[in-house]
Structures are given as C-alpha cells and as structure tokens.
Amino acid sequence: MLAKFLYQFTDYFIGFNVFRYITVRAALAAITALVLSWWIGPKVIRLLKKYQIGEEIRIEGPQSHQVKRGTPTMGGLIILFSIVIAVLLWADVFNLYLLLIFLTTLVMGLVGFLDDYLKSIMKIKKGLIGRYKLLGQISVGLLLGLVIYFHPFFDGLHSNTSVPFFKNLEIDFGWFYILFIIFVLTGSSNAVNLTDGLDGLAAGLSAIAFIALAGMAYVTSNVKFADYLNIIYLPGTEELAIFCMAVFGAAMGFLWFNAYPAEIFMGDTGSLALGTAMGAAAILLKKELLLLLIAGVFIAEALSVIIQTSYFKYTRKRYGQGKRVFKMAPIHHHFELKGWHETKVVIRFWIVGILLALLSLSTFKTQ
C-alpha cells in the first residue's frame, strides 16, 4: 500500500502525515481510478475494435439502437482495472471490510466477463446461461453471508440491519440474514445489469450511488459522527469509503468514453461487478434497507421488468393474449418509445438518482 509506505517518511518531512487521513486517501483513490480509466480506456477500445469484439443489439429493442451494433463491449475491464490499482495503492488491503467487498466485486466481474466472452467472442447469442449466472450471484451472496454471520469480527451485529428514518431501530434477522444478504446482492447486481441499456446511464447512476455510499462509510467509521447522527458505529469501514471513492473515480472515467454516443459499453463485466459492489457496500454498512433509496433508479428499472413480464404472462394465461404495462421494459426504453431522446432519458434519470442519493444522506439526521 503506497499510502502506508509514504507515511513512514513523516519523521523526515511532516507533509507525509497527510497520508494517514481518510479524506486524503479517498480523494487520491478517486483521482487515481479516474486517471487510470482515461489512460487505459483508448487502449482497450482500440484492442476491442482490432479483434471486432462488439455488442450485439437485440432485434426486439428500439430500432434507434441498431446503429450501435458492433460498438466495443467488455468495457467493465477498464472499471475493474482502475478500481484494483487505486485500492491497492491507497487502501488497507488487510482490512476485513475491504477484503470482502474487493473479492465479491472481482468474482462477479469474472462471472460477467465469462458472459461477455461467450456472447462477443464465442458468438453464443445468450452468453452464460441464466441459471449459471444466478448460481454465481447466490454463491457470492452465500459466502458473504456466512462470513458476516459466523466471523467473530462481526459479533453483536452479525445479523442486524438498521432501519432508515427511525432512531436506533434495528432489525435482527437471525439465520434469515444469510438469505437476506443473498437476496440483496443478487437483486443489486441484476438491477444494475438491467439498467445498462443506454449510453452513460448505468455508469453515471453508479457514480452517484457510490459517492453517497462513500459518505456513509466515512461517518459510520467515525465514533463522534456516528454518535451525533445516531447510527451504528462500525470501526474499520473507513476503508470502504476509499473503495467507494475508487469506484466513483473509475465510473466517472469510464463515463468519459461511455457518454452518448458511446465509444464502448461496460457489458456484464462492469454491470455485474458494480451492482455486486453496491449491494456489498450497503450490507457491510448495515444499510441494506437504505439501498432502496440509494439505488432507487436501479430498483425501478428491475421492477419494471418484473411487472412487465408478470403482467404479460398473467394476461396471456387469462385472456389468451399477453398485454403490457409499459411500451417496453426496462422502463428507460418505455420513455424512449414515448419520444424522449436517449440523452434526455439518461440525464433525467441521473437527476432522480442525485435526488435519491441526497435523500438517503438526509435520513442520517432524521434518525
């Protein structure tokens, strides 16, 4: 860890003392990830174009998206590379919170990479079979749940979660907490995956969510802030703040190339990794229920798919002909088909994401 190495020289120059501050390391993690994304982005794009590793656009999707066919995908590699290097440089890699979120993110990034590899390189249309992808999500959630529930580090809070808007109110799930973690992690990774359908949408919303999570991790790790805000005090979560800021920087750097018209898509490599990291951060901070606000747009996207699919199956079974609630799901396509330009949908969803992030932060003071 570069920060720890530099701090050793404090005796020779007092300026090196800044590397012990969380705010400094978090800012450096964000800047490092951002710069790395900008540096490696063009190289990855050229490489993907050279080997013609491009996105296949669904025929049943909006016709305006057909021009995107062949756009390089698997851009999540840019995000993951930037996060890994930034975290290794500026975070405490022996911190248990960091190790858990780091490993879960990388594992689901690997699952997403396998899906992208099968679709874009092996030309298997459906990529990784859905049940295998789900198996990966459940396995990661189960592993995280077992560690939190049984590891002595989490004694006293191993099955608890805080309830937003209520002072000192917590829910103890008992054994069901492991299942709850699996549900949260699977839901968050799928939600981000479904949202990744417009240029810059998932990357921008992820950046917004992770900067909010970084703030939560910081105050949760500070005993004075935690006491003043009446929230659970979790020493060690400051390293989660550094991780979240690294993700923020990587997402913003990737957005430079992913903004309309996108030069590259993140693919499942990026969306599954980001969604898993988002869910894992909320779980480790005991803010699983607050994730409903932080990731509100992502959740709305996932719910629109569930509603659309369920209603279509119900009406087809009952009336012999399936009917739809939305013009198309996920819901961002619904607004496109209503006549909104892609950039208008993205920017308006970003605005909603910012408002929800601010609302989630405001719950600390109301508790």
Side-chain angles (χ1 to χ4, degrees):
M1 187 177 73
L2 182 60
K4 184 175 288 188
F5 172 76
L6 294 174
Y7 181 64
Q8 295 176 349
F9 296 96
T10 303
D11 292 338
Y12 302 98
F13 177 60
I14 193 64
F16 286 109
N17 189 53
V18 299
F19 294 106
R20 73 184 181 91
Y21 295 115
I22 302 301
T23 49
V24 172
R25 291 196 286 133
L28 287 171
I31 293 169
T32 301
L34 178 72
V35 172
L36 285 172
S37 296
W38 283 345
W39 173 69
I40 198 173
K43 297 175 174 58
V44 172
I45 292 171
R46 284 196 298 269
L47 186 65
L48 293 172
K49 284 183 175 179
K50 178 180 178 181
Y51 291 100
Q52 298 181 337
I53 302 174
E55 183 76 7
E56 292 295 329
I57 306 298
R58 293 185 307 161
I59 298 175
E60 60 270 21
Q63 289 303 307
S64 59
H65 286 212
Q66 295 305 313
V67 297
K68 301 181 182 185
R69 185 181 300 275
T71 301
T73 188
M74 299 173 72
L77 292 171
I78 298 171
I79 298 173
L80 288 174
F81 171 81
S82 303
I83 293 171
V84 168
I85 301 301
V87 167
L88 291 177
L89 286 175
W90 305 114
D92 178 5
V93 294
F94 299 106
N95 176 280
L96 184 57
Y97 287 111
L98 183 71
L99 283 172
L100 289 173
I101 196 170
F102 199 56
L103 291 175
T104 53
T105 301
L106 290 180
V107 169
M108 282 313 300
L110 181 61
V111 173
F113 174 79
L114 179 59
D115 187 37
D116 288 334
Y117 179 84
L118 292 174
K119 284 188 293 188
S120 301
I121 298 179
M122 300 302 294
K123 303 303 178 183
I124 299 175
K125 188 175 182 180
K126 292 185 178 181
L128 186 64
I129 297 174
R131 62 176 176 270
Y132 294 146
K133 193 185 300 184
L134 183 62
L135 178 63
Q137 294 167 325
I138 292 174
S139 299
V140 170
L142 178 62
L143 178 61
L144 182 61
L146 290 172
V147 172
I148 293 175
Y149 193 85
F150 290 106
H151 199 290
F153 181 84
F154 297 98
D155 277 351
L157 288 171
H158 63 278
S159 59
N160 289 33
T161 188
S162 58
V163 180
F165 299 106
F166 291 93
K167 182 178 179 180
N168 297 322
L169 179 59
E170 299 172 16
I171 299 175
D172 188 345
F173 285 93
W175 279 92
F176 290 102
Y177 189 62
I178 297 175
L179 297 177
F180 182 58
I181 286 178
I182 294 172
F183 174 77
V184 171
L185 216 60
T186 301
S188 62
S189 60
N190 281 326
V192 176
N193 184 241
L194 290 170
T195 304
D196 185 32
L198 299 180
D199 296 356
L201 181 58
L205 287 171
S206 295
I208 294 165
F210 274 102
I211 200 166
L213 287 166
M216 293 177 188
Y218 178 72
V219 297
T220 300
S221 70
N222 187 297
V223 64
K224 293 182 179 179
F225 285 150
D227 180 63
Y228 174 70
L229 295 170
N230 294 310
I231 60 176
I232 300 174
Y233 168 56
L234 298 172
T237 56
E238 64 273 5
E239 300 303 323
L240 287 180
I242 295 171
F243 178 88
C244 290
M245 288 302 291
V247 179
F248 167 76
M252 291 298 288
F254 178 76
L255 186 59
W256 185 270
F257 308 103
N258 184 235
Y260 181 88
E263 300 174 60
I264 189 171
F265 299 138
M266 68 171 66
D268 283 9
T269 307
S271 61
L272 290 181
L274 288 175
T276 300
M278 196 178 300
I283 290 166
L284 293 169
L285 292 170
K286 300 297 180 180
K287 297 293 184 290
E288 298 95 335
L289 298 179
L290 196 56
L291 192 62
L292 293 171
L293 277 179
I294 303 168
V297 178
F298 292 116
I299 292 169
E301 293 270 26
L303 285 175
S304 69
V305 174
I306 295 171
I307 292 169
Q308 183 88 322
T309 305
S310 300
Y311 186 70
F312 184 85
K313 289 180 178 178
Y314 168 76
T315 53
R316 184 173 61 182
K317 182 178 180 180
R318 185 175 179 85
Y319 304 109
Q321 183 177 2
K323 298 181 181 179
R324 294 174 171 81
V325 177
F326 308 104
K327 290 179 178 295
M328 186 177 290
I331 199 170
H332 55 254
H333 290 321
H334 169 79
F335 289 108
E336 274 193 292
L337 295 180
K338 282 177 67 70
W340 292 17
H341 191 273
E342 181 173 346
T343 53
K344 178 173 284 190
V345 177
V346 171
I347 292 172
R348 287 182 173 177
F349 276 36
W350 285 352
I351 292 170
V352 175
I354 292 170
L355 293 175
L356 290 173
L358 293 174
L359 181 60
S360 67
L361 291 172
S362 72
T363 64
F364 281 10
K365 190 58 181 172
T366 59
Q367 290 181 340

